[in-house]
Amino acid sequence: MTTTTTTSPVINTTTVSSELVLDPSDNAWMMVSTAFVLMMTPALAFFYGGLVDRKNILNQLFLSFICMGIVFVQWVLFGFSFAFGPPVSVGFGSFGDSLLRFGQRLDDAYSPNYPLLTYAAYQGTFAIITPALISGAIVGRMKLIPYMIFIAIWTTVCYDPLAHWVWGENGWLKDLGTLDFAGGTVVHISSGVSGLVASLILGRRIDWKPHGSIAHNIPFTVLGTFLLWVGWSGFNAGSANVASGLASLALVNTYAAAAAGLLTWVIIGTIRGQVSVSGACIGPIIGLVSITPACGFVQPGWALLFGIIPTIIIYFLLLYKHHMIFDDALDVAVVHGCGGIIGAFMTGLFSELSNNPGGADGAFYGHPIQLWYQIAGILTAIGFASVCTAGILIPLKYTIGIRLSPEEELRGTDSIVHGEKWILTDKPCHITTSNGIPANRSQYPPYTIHNNWNSNRI
């Protein structure tokens, strides 16, 4: 039998084998998407950082920042292999691709048109931001070393298996029929539920107040929202795994849901008499979270509902959150957990096979069993994330301890944990106005960082 190799007529395409073909344009698309998703972690740090008390802002920024180090090292060592390595069962990957020692090969299951290394980097950015989301629930009261241990273990025992089950070549939830285009189950439900469990195990902050806001820098939060919205382009559209019409569908749906969430929040606030800027930033985030599992399966018209319906529900949940018994500092459980649950459920209603041959019709298109597949994924993520989080934090709590003392909490994690402070200084500035009258700028003091390494406590 004679094998004939045909050279592709496409200029930007290089033949790698008779089956897999390297397409530089697809590789470039995925590398740009990877950069966009990686940007979302510092964007999240700014989003969270502006909402916390001034005494905890540096710590909150660091809790996201450190995930970029811990998680990606874990991802290179064995995390990617656990999630996407050569499968040995429907429940787990393997050590087969540990240390990413597969060179520049293409992979027919995950990256047929670009190197598997690019796919590993892209999925690694998802692994980074997921535990970073949890940090918003425990801000102001957790020791740093236990947090870092928690992140490393949680990524290994919770995130990696969930990613394998939903996206892996032979993942059991994928085989069952659960749809999650870009991480509604794997990322948002798991982090939201873990944030709730962590806040319950840690307990309320010493200076917790059921009413009012401690947000000290709203421009930080607005900046973080802008960057998250832009970064979500790579998060959702990049999950199409190729520069295609499917990626365009995911991109439009992402923007539509975010815009609808923003307007819904603003309209409700207007009706109630006040539109807070920090609150308005939550609206598009809810839309983005909710559309994530569905963005590659639904029409853009339905995407508007993914912004409207979850935002209405979550707005009123947050309105009465002071009745809740737990202290989820930045509403991770409600925004990401509930938003992911609602979005995953609605995916089972509005998905259409005609939009994506890799998807399925939802209940509104003659396939009601799809709702069961979605509920199975939701319940699995809730139960598994709860058990993993409790199984990690409870032993840490009764061994090395996970919570700062009341005195340390009141002083703030910035000075206690990092030996630094983000404070207001009152420095008069001798500047004259146009009339020659001295202007005292002390009413607009600059932010400065003061170092005090002797007080470092972790």
Side-chain angles (χ1 to χ4, degrees):
M1 178 177 177
T2 303
T3 302
T4 303
T5 303
T6 304
T7 303
S8 173
V10 181
I11 296 176
N12 69 341
T13 308
T14 303
T15 302
V16 175
S17 71
S18 59
E19 297 180 356
L20 304 182
V21 178
L22 174 66
D23 187 336
S25 63
D26 284 341
N27 191 37
W29 164 260
M30 293 306 299
M31 291 177 73
V32 171
S33 296
T34 299
F36 270 56
V37 182
L38 182 64
M39 181 187 69
M40 292 175 68
T41 297
L44 178 72
F46 276 99
F47 179 84
Y48 279 170
L51 294 173
V52 301
D53 192 289
R54 187 175 294 110
K55 65 184 180 180
N56 296 319
I57 179 174
L58 299 178
N59 180 251
Q60 184 58 57
L61 294 172
F62 186 79
L63 294 184
S64 294
F65 182 43
I66 193 61
C67 291
M68 299 176 74
I70 294 172
V71 176
F72 207 78
V73 168
Q74 182 266 7
W75 196 247
V76 171
L77 290 175
F78 50 79
F80 175 77
S81 190
F82 282 3
F84 299 100
V88 293
S89 71
V90 296
F92 211 62
S94 67
F95 283 98
D97 283 337
S98 57
L99 296 174
L100 306 185
R101 57 182 187 272
F102 40 73
Q104 299 182 34
R105 83 164 194 252
L106 280 63
D107 189 274
D108 56 356
Y110 301 117
S111 58
N113 301 323
Y114 60 89
L116 187 61
L117 282 172
T118 304
Y119 184 79
Y122 179 69
Q123 289 295 340
T125 59
F126 281 68
I128 288 169
I129 197 171
T130 305
L133 289 168
I134 301 172
S135 68
I138 51 88
V139 62
R141 58 201 191 274
M142 189 168 184
K143 294 180 180 179
L144 183 59
I145 295 300
Y147 171 80
M148 294 167 64
I149 295 172
F150 168 74
I151 292 303
I153 299 176
W154 187 91
T155 302
T156 303
V157 303
C158 186
Y159 181 85
D160 294 347
L162 268 178
H164 180 78
W165 297 347
V166 175
W167 295 327
E169 181 181 357
N170 70 329
W172 72 271
L173 283 173
K174 180 179 180 179
D175 289 344
L176 177 67
T178 300
L179 298 178
D180 184 2
F181 191 80
T185 302
V186 178
V187 175
H188 296 292
I189 296 179
S190 67
S191 61
V193 170
S194 295
L196 171 61
V197 174
S199 64
L200 288 170
I201 293 173
L202 278 166
R204 291 178 175 176
R205 287 164 288 176
I206 296 299
D207 55 352
W208 178 77
K209 298 179 181 63
H211 300 283
S213 172
I214 59 173
H216 87 287
N217 195 325
I218 302 304
F220 263 28
T221 299
V222 175
L223 174 62
T225 305
F226 291 161
L227 294 177
L228 283 169
W229 193 329
V230 173
W232 230 290
S233 304
F235 201 85
N236 286 358
S239 293
N241 213 28
V242 64
S244 63
L246 180 60
S248 299
L249 176 68
L251 186 71
V252 171
N253 284 340
T254 300
Y255 293 167
L262 171 60
L263 289 181
T264 301
W265 190 285
V266 170
I267 290 171
I268 296 174
T270 302
I271 293 172
R272 299 189 67 248
Q274 190 176 64
V275 180
S276 72
V277 177
S278 59
C281 289
I282 299 175
I285 299 301
I286 296 171
L288 291 165
V289 169
S290 301
I291 194 60
T292 292
C295 59
F297 303 118
V298 301
Q299 297 178 18
W302 293 133
L304 296 175
L305 290 183
F306 280 77
I308 295 170
I309 295 174
T311 301
I312 293 173
I313 295 172
I314 291 174
Y315 185 101
F316 289 100
L317 284 176
L318 293 177
L319 194 63
Y320 296 101
K321 74 170 188 174
H322 58 277
H323 294 299
M324 302 177 185
I325 62 173
F326 58 92
D327 178 13
D328 178 0
L330 300 181
D331 306 314
V332 177
V334 179
V335 174
H336 292 276
C338 292
I341 290 170
I342 297 169
F345 183 84
M346 291 177 65
T347 302
L349 297 175
F350 298 106
S351 63
E352 290 182 72
L353 187 60
S354 60
N355 291 324
N356 184 347
D361 286 324
F364 289 167
Y365 292 91
H367 192 227
I369 198 172
Q370 187 61 41
L371 268 180
W372 155 243
Y373 299 151
Q374 297 305 112
I375 293 171
I378 292 168
L379 294 178
T380 299
I382 292 173
F384 188 64
S386 299
V387 170
C388 289
T389 304
I392 299 168
L393 287 181
I394 291 176
L396 288 175
K397 179 178 181 179
Y398 292 105
T399 52
I400 64 175
I402 59 176
R403 182 161 178 169
L404 296 170
S405 69
E407 295 77 15
E408 291 170 333
E409 281 187 48
L410 291 174
R411 284 183 58 189
T413 52
D414 287 0
S415 77
I416 295 300
V417 176
H418 303 287
E420 298 172 307
K421 293 182 181 180
W422 172 280
I423 64 173
L424 284 171
T425 59
D426 190 8
K427 295 181 179 179
C429 183
H430 302 293
I431 298 178
T432 58
T433 65
S434 59
N435 297 326
I437 302 174
N440 187 352
R441 286 177 54 194
S442 62
Q443 57 180 322
Y444 306 109
Y447 287 102
T448 61
I449 295 178
H450 289 240
N451 293 324
N452 182 11
W453 294 104
N454 293 329
S455 65
N456 185 40
R457 290 286 298 278
I458 56 176

